[in-house]
Amino acid sequence: MLRYAVKRILFTVPVLIGVTFIIFTMMYFTPGDPARMILGDTATEAEVEELREEMGLNDPFLVRYGNYMWDLCHGDMGSSYVTGLPVTEEILARLPITARLAVLSCIFSVLIGVPVGVISAVKQYSALDNITMVMALLGITIPSFWLAMMLVMVFSVNLGWLPASGLYGWKYYILPVVSISAVSIATFTRMTRSSMLEVIRQDYIRTARAKGQTEQKIITKHALKNALIPIITVIGIQFASGLSGAVVNEQIFAIPGLGKMMVDAIKARNYPVVQGGVLLIAVMFSILNLVIDLMYAFVDPRIKSQYARKKGKSR
């Protein structure tokens, strides 16, 4: 297990290098001049050129990328063009807000989507199952940003029940969490239903029924436990997607998180902040994929035995 984890961590290194190269290339060819954005329209060309030389923007592409990677290997993501603060400091100040939104959205999605998917599978082809599948289809197709704006219009503007922007208390989390969770709830529902339908048709489920075990015990102890593998995969993916998907929602609800920071940085051509934010999301995706793979062994004993066999062969 330890060797597998170390191997997966080493495999993430070329992935992260590729991510840095792609985002650096995109930022390099993006129209706009950061020096001009910083100094404003009133600055002279000489002043802009002097600042470009000071920031290293006149260096060739490979030189700039090499300098960026050298600094990155020493734990330096650069400094923000706008505030002058280290990018790491700005990201760490915003990350807890986005992570809190992602965690709450993931928990809310699991608490709603998984039970509804189980009930839908048990009541297959019933009216409840048909309604659930229609709602899940709508949840997948409705864009998150559109749902966020509709929630603001209904519950904030028209009804006045919930705040529309900011993050100053638990009420401020309701609309963002619901808008981010809509797609995840639909995904969990459909995936849980499909996985449960495949499991409840297995022979050991029929054997458990023949032994006289209660239906509740069969579903919770035997069926759901064996159906968790694809569900765990989706949970990890949806949590990581919540981190990146919060970009638009934070902008709509004026939440000072990582997503809003990156959007503002893109508008200001603040390249170090954009690169640092994308790199952080890529790192978190890689870590989550590793955690998901390791969780498989704790859920399914067959996978754990495969690790044990591989370890025995290596000896």
Side-chain angles (χ1 to χ4, degrees), residues 12-23 65 69 72-73 279:
T12 60
V13 174
V15 173
L16 296 179
I17 292 175
V19 169
T20 59
F21 182 78
I22 292 173
I23 188 61
Y65 179 70
M69 290 301 296
L72 192 62
C73 291
L279 181 60

Side-chain angles (χ1 to χ4, degrees), residues 101 162-177 253 255:
L101 278 176
L162 296 170
S165 62
L167 210 60
Y168 307 104
W170 65 269
K171 286 186 177 181
Y172 291 84
Y173 284 94
I174 295 177
L175 294 184
V177 167
F253 292 104
I255 297 174

Side-chain angles (χ1 to χ4, degrees), residues 237-270:
I237 294 173
Q238 292 300 319
F239 175 73
S241 299
L243 290 173
S244 57
V247 171
V248 178
N249 293 76
E250 287 180 0
Q251 194 72 14
I252 293 174
F253 292 104
I255 297 174
L258 185 64
K260 190 174 187 303
M261 181 193 71
M262 291 179 62
V263 172
D264 294 339
I266 292 172
K267 293 178 181 178
R269 304 296 188 274
N270 196 350

Side-chain angles (χ1 to χ4, degrees), residues 22 27 44 63-64 86 91 126-127 129 152 171 192 232 265 276 294:
I22 292 173
M27 291 292 99
T44 63
V63 173
R64 289 176 57 185
I91 289 177
S126 64
D129 181 33
V152 169
K171 286 186 177 181
T192 304
I232 289 175
L294 296 179

Side-chain angles (χ1 to χ4, degrees), residues 50-60 63-64 67 81:
E50 182 181 355
L51 182 59
R52 285 181 57 85
E53 190 67 30
E54 181 182 340
M55 297 169 62
L57 298 177
N58 291 331
D59 295 337
V63 173
R64 289 176 57 185
N67 292 333
Y81 290 164

